[in-house]
Amino acid sequence: MSRPIDPETTGLRWNFDNSYCQLAPCFFTRQAPNPVRDPRLVIFNHSLSQELGLSGTTETEPSIARELAGNQIPVGAEPIAQAYAGHQFGHFAILGDGRAILLGEHLSPSGQRFDIQLKGAGQTPYSRRGDGRAALGPMLREYIISEAMHALGIPTTRSLAVVSTGQPVYRETPLPGAILTRIAASHIRVGTFEYAATQGDLTLLHSLADYTIQRHYPECAEAENPYLALLQAISEAQARLIARWQLVGFVHGVMNTDNMSIAGETIDYGPCAFMDAYHPQTVFSSIDQQGRYAYGNQPLMTQWNLARLTEALLLLLHPDREEALALGRTVVFEFPERFQHYWRIGMSDKLGLFTEESSDQALIETLLAWMQNTAQDFTHTFRSLGSESLADQPFFQDAAFTDWHDAWQARLSRQPQTPDQVRAHMNAHNPAIIARNHLVEEALQTASEKNDLSLLHQLLEALRQPYRDLPQFATYQTPPPPSVEPYRTFCGT
Ligand code: AMP
Ligand code: MG
């Protein structure tokens, strides 16, 4: 398809095919982004743009900035704000995109469908008292951490760009405003189903469930009970995802049901952070005073969210309420087992275990207990276990560790794999580089205070290959210096 090329307006090569806005009107509001004063491209993800088939030869930085700021609506886009509800820290609320606009769904050259969302694009009918805007720091932070998660191989929304708006946003102090372009399999949340269930019209819930099956879990349509199959598929995707979080020490920080993607992607990077020293009660978010979303609680909170999803879907599971409850309960009660299954596989990979023995669980738990008692760095410890210079680590002098090490070595000797095979396998599963808090903060500070993005680009480069020991990135592997103050994060508003 060719269209006239105007250097002033030529942007990215969009291929929109919008299906969500075919749902009933209660699911969204048509809402154009609110143009900003001075859109400028701060960072652009060239490789993602290539993957999505967005890069051509005629787009210019200003034209990309105009489109990704919402100042110019690309051909084929049908901007909407999505309606949803959610349980926030356990309390139900009607929500919706208060500061995000879905431009539409882009089909990539391989035929995959992606939501293109502008986060921070201005007020919508769901903004409540919010300004609909976002600050540069948190948007760059989401860019870094989502791209780090992707490089780790963990399902996640991705970040195409951050555009500065030339307008301040007022938080405790005035901050530079920015808009993140978020790419997602979809933005259907547990909270979207909770919202549909509150509408008092079963056809709406049906239409959302059918749409979700068609878009994400088409195999469920063939099942005897498609909606039960959908619930099971979502549970499975979440078990797999949260296991991956646990295995790299990722703490999401705000696992409200509106922040749980039905597609099984990590979404809504607000107060999230990677754990340094291992402790199950690790919490970073300043608003999570009770530790509801602490590292060790994440599987339980996923199950809690799944229970809310089950309640929302109840009327679709079976015409008889008791039968429906029994079916739903089974899925919810099975979740810990599903999670444990993926967690065990992942832990075996991290420890180089190719076979299964009944004592493996104890072996894993003993290591974790030792790490907790001695406040070992989670990432560094696992990476060191697969290193030939393990004996040079200071903790190798610790008697509790060497006892565990003897047991582990004995266990490894009972499987056929060679030490080299074991090490290679471990190093493909234990990242050397994660988005460490002190490095992320340093890069963000240099970017916002000195307008210098060099550290941020270097960090992104290092995070791109997290499983390799590249000499130029050695500094990114070092755990942070012991600090007096625990690391705190704030909601990305
Ligand atoms: P979050 O904590 O980012 O998941 O957001 C929770 C809810 O608050 C969502 O409905 C957001 O759209 C809304 N929200 C967050 N920040 C703002 C803002 N600055 N303006 C309007 N709505 C917002
Ligand atoms: Mg959210």
Side-chain angles (χ1 to χ4, degrees):
M1 204 173 70
S2 71
R3 53 186 154 107
I5 293 169
D6 171 355
E8 274 303 300
T9 57
T10 303
L12 296 164
R13 291 158 61 123
W14 298 107
N15 181 21
F16 283 110
D17 177 53
N18 310 316
S19 61
Y20 199 83
C21 58
Q22 308 293 316
L23 287 172
C26 72
F27 285 110
F28 61 90
T29 302
R30 293 193 188 271
Q31 172 72 57
N34 200 346
V36 302
R37 194 179 299 151
D38 184 18
R40 282 171 199 262
L41 205 51
V42 177
I43 189 163
F44 186 69
N45 194 335
H46 289 278
S47 66
L48 178 58
S49 176
Q50 293 281 353
E51 245 174 80
L52 293 173
L54 290 171
S55 297
T57 49
T58 53
E59 73 275 15
T60 60
E61 279 206 12
S63 69
I64 297 173
R66 277 196 299 275
E67 283 187 344
L68 301 184
N71 282 28
Q72 188 182 314
I73 312 295
V75 174
E78 293 176 88
I80 60 171
Q82 292 180 325
Y84 51 86
H87 277 83
Q88 301 183 303
F89 288 91
H91 303 285
F92 182 78
I94 296 286
L95 303 162
D97 288 332
R99 57 162 172 174
I101 303 283
L102 181 68
L103 279 184
E105 296 147 39
H106 169 80
L107 296 184
S108 75
S110 63
Q112 272 179 292
R113 179 178 297 271
F114 293 100
D115 270 13
I116 309 295
Q117 193 200 63
L118 304 182
K119 185 169 174 180
Q123 285 178 316
T124 76
Y126 314 111
S127 295
R128 295 173 291 171
R129 285 179 298 279
D131 60 3
R133 293 297 183 192
L136 178 62
M139 294 306 100
L140 287 175
R141 198 165 182 282
E142 170 155 350
Y143 187 108
I144 296 169
I145 302 187
S146 63
E147 287 305 299
M149 292 289 270
H150 173 72
L152 286 166
I154 301 177
T156 176
T157 62
R158 296 196 62 190
S159 299
L160 179 67
V162 174
V163 172
S164 60
T165 61
Q167 291 166 218
V169 294
Y170 299 94
R171 300 295 180 253
E172 266 117 53
T173 53
L175 297 168
I179 296 170
L180 173 86
T181 306
R182 178 156 77 178
I183 311 296
S186 83
H187 285 84
I188 307 170
R189 307 146 190 270
V190 168
T192 315
F193 281 92
E194 292 180 280
Y195 172 82
T198 62
Q199 298 299 299
D201 178 351
L202 201 54
T203 58
L204 293 171
L205 188 61
H206 257 290
S207 67
L208 179 65
D210 290 339
Y211 176 83
T212 304
I213 288 174
Q214 201 188 354
R215 184 158 173 185
H216 295 302
Y217 301 101
E219 65 285 357
C220 293
E222 313 301 325
E224 194 185 324
N225 183 339
Y227 304 114
L228 180 64
L230 173 65
L231 184 61
Q232 282 163 335
I234 295 167
S235 173
E236 183 77 9
Q238 286 298 325
R240 206 179 305 133
L241 177 68
I242 308 307
R244 297 297 310 274
W245 290 2
Q246 300 305 94
L247 293 163
V248 297
F250 176 76
V251 183
H252 183 281
V254 59
M255 292 174 67
N256 296 334
T257 56
D258 51 305
N259 293 336
M260 182 163 153
S261 158
I262 290 297
E265 288 183 335
T266 313
I267 192 170
D268 268 355
Y269 291 86
C272 62
F274 284 86
M275 172 171 69
D276 291 306
Y278 174 72
H279 199 295
Q281 281 160 24
T282 302
V283 172
F284 295 106
S285 171
S286 56
I287 57 166
D288 191 3
Q289 310 244 329
Q290 315 287 322
R292 179 182 171 89
Y293 299 133
Y295 168 77
N297 248 10
Q298 295 188 126
L300 189 63
M301 287 299 107
T302 311
Q303 188 186 19
W304 194 90
N305 290 349
L306 205 56
R308 304 292 79 72
L309 176 65
T310 305
E311 286 166 0
L313 284 173
L314 213 53
L315 290 173
L316 302 186
L317 295 183
H318 198 280
D320 178 83
R321 191 178 156 78
E322 287 307 314
E323 290 274 348
L325 274 171
L327 290 171
R329 254 192 221 116
T330 307
V331 179
V332 176
F333 289 170
E334 276 171 1
F335 180 80
E337 214 176 298
R338 284 185 202 266
F339 168 77
Q340 184 69 17
H341 168 78
Y342 288 110
W343 185 83
R344 262 295 288 281
I345 292 175
M347 271 294 169
S348 298
D349 288 335
K350 286 175 87 68
L351 291 177
L353 310 181
F354 286 79
T355 52
E356 249 186 79
E357 288 190 11
S358 57
S359 59
D360 288 350
Q361 181 76 15
L363 187 74
I364 297 165
E365 280 170 12
T366 307
L367 175 67
L368 292 175
W370 170 76
M371 286 169 67
Q372 182 176 339
N373 292 337
T374 55
Q376 298 297 328
D377 185 89
F378 185 77
T379 304
H380 178 72
T381 304
F382 277 106
R383 185 72 184 185
S384 304
L385 293 181
S387 140
E388 290 192 54
S389 53
L390 173 60
D392 299 339
Q393 293 295 330
F395 61 69
F396 207 78
Q397 307 307 318
D398 181 313
F401 177 77
T402 49
D403 283 352
W404 178 84
H405 186 261
D406 291 346
W408 178 51
Q409 288 301 311
R411 168 67 179 81
L412 293 181
S413 70
R414 293 194 293 273
Q415 61 183 20
Q417 283 71 20
T418 65
D420 278 348
Q421 284 174 315
V422 168
R423 260 197 296 275
H425 190 76
M426 290 177 70
N427 287 338
H429 291 89
N430 293 313
I433 301 178
I434 52 162
R436 289 196 181 267
N437 306 316
H438 65 295
L439 298 172
V440 173
E441 286 308 311
E442 188 189 20
L444 290 179
Q445 217 165 18
T446 320
S448 61
E449 285 171 14
K450 301 192 185 137
N451 213 6
D452 171 2
L453 267 76
S454 55
L455 280 184
L456 196 145
H457 284 291
Q458 281 167 35
L459 176 61
L460 284 169
E461 199 49 43
L463 292 170
R464 212 187 284 268
Q465 301 186 69
Y467 297 102
R468 295 187 63 190
D469 289 298
L470 297 171
Q472 68 269 36
F473 297 133
T475 52
Y476 292 92
Q477 299 191 20
T478 319
S483 67
V484 192
E485 286 287 304
Y487 184 67
R488 280 278 157 268
T489 56
F490 301 90
C491 256
T493 44

